[in-house]
Amino acid sequence: METAATYWEPVIKIYGSHIKTDLVMTTLRFPLERLAFLGEQLQEIENGLGRFEMAVMQWVDDHTLQFILLYESDRDRSYRRLLSDIAENFSITLEISEPVELLYFHGPHFQDRFGVASSALTTLKKHHLKILAAGCSGTSIYLVTDEQKAQSVAEVLKKVFTVPGFS
């Protein structure tokens, strides 16, 4: 016998949130059959290019994926060179958005609390706030916005989440 539990709170409790500014978002769009190849090429990021803020892989359609990488602008030269070379040499679409901002928040057991990400995105849609990219993990939600928009997003989300403070 399996037991199922439902968890719901009118205002979702979180541990904290943070806004990062002066970031670059790079998006690579490519056919599904290039996934293994692209993975091999992107391993170069671990070989000396440093850290990044967010990486997300998403379906665009049945045959196309997109890989989104978010990083600090002071690392742009290295990342742009690597990603531009990959895109150019293997006919992969590259799009760069800059500057962008990142709002991320984390809380207990998001993966076990149905609808946490949906609550955030639904609220932002009602307020006509544009999100460039979103990523979720078991304990965090990442929202990429245009420059000087993350604070507005954070203010609207205070109605949905108990936010201890933004740093």
Side-chain angles (χ1 to χ4, degrees):
M1 176 183 254
E2 183 177 330
T3 302
T6 302
Y7 180 82
W8 180 82
E9 10 177 40
V11 178
I12 301 165
K13 293 179 182 76
I14 63 173
Y15 291 143
S17 59
H18 191 73
I19 292 174
K20 292 204 78 164
T21 60
D22 199 26
L23 300 172
V24 177
M25 183 175 78
T26 302
T27 304
L28 293 167
R29 284 188 193 83
F30 56 94
L32 177 60
E33 59 268 9
R34 296 245 186 204
L35 179 59
F37 163 77
L38 184 61
E40 292 171 8
Q41 297 300 308
L42 292 173
Q43 285 180 5
E44 288 298 314
I45 291 172
E46 290 187 335
N47 297 331
L49 286 183
R51 62 185 290 276
F52 51 87
E53 296 299 323
M54 182 182 85
V56 177
M57 183 82 66
Q58 301 171 324
W59 286 99
V60 173
D61 59 37
D62 290 344
H63 307 286
T64 310
L65 293 166
Q66 68 180 10
F67 175 72
I68 299 169
L69 189 64
L70 190 70
Y71 50 87
E72 294 175 344
S73 64
D74 64 353
R75 300 180 189 277
D76 186 42
R77 186 179 208 181
S78 300
Y79 280 111
R80 193 176 298 226
R81 184 172 43 245
L82 171 67
L83 297 171
S84 294
D85 286 349
I86 292 170
E88 186 176 316
N89 292 332
F90 299 97
S91 301
I92 294 174
T93 303
L94 173 71
E95 179 182 314
I96 298 173
S97 302
E98 61 181 325
V100 298
E101 296 181 346
L102 173 66
L103 165 64
Y104 62 92
F105 47 100
H106 47 281
H109 312 289
F110 282 173
Q111 75 275 14
D112 297 328
R113 297 160 68 190
F114 179 76
V116 173
S118 179
S119 292
L121 295 172
T122 300
T123 299
L124 297 175
K125 186 175 182 179
K126 285 180 188 175
H127 287 84
H128 307 288
L129 291 169
K130 180 178 159 188
I131 299 299
L132 301 175
C136 303
S137 71
T139 59
S140 298
I141 297 175
Y142 300 84
L143 303 170
V144 181
T145 70
D146 287 318
E147 183 180 35
Q148 298 183 359
K149 298 293 182 185
Q151 190 61 49
S152 299
V153 169
E155 289 300 319
V156 166
L157 289 177
K158 285 182 179 180
K159 298 170 186 151
V160 178
F161 296 92
T162 300
V163 181
F166 289 93
S167 11

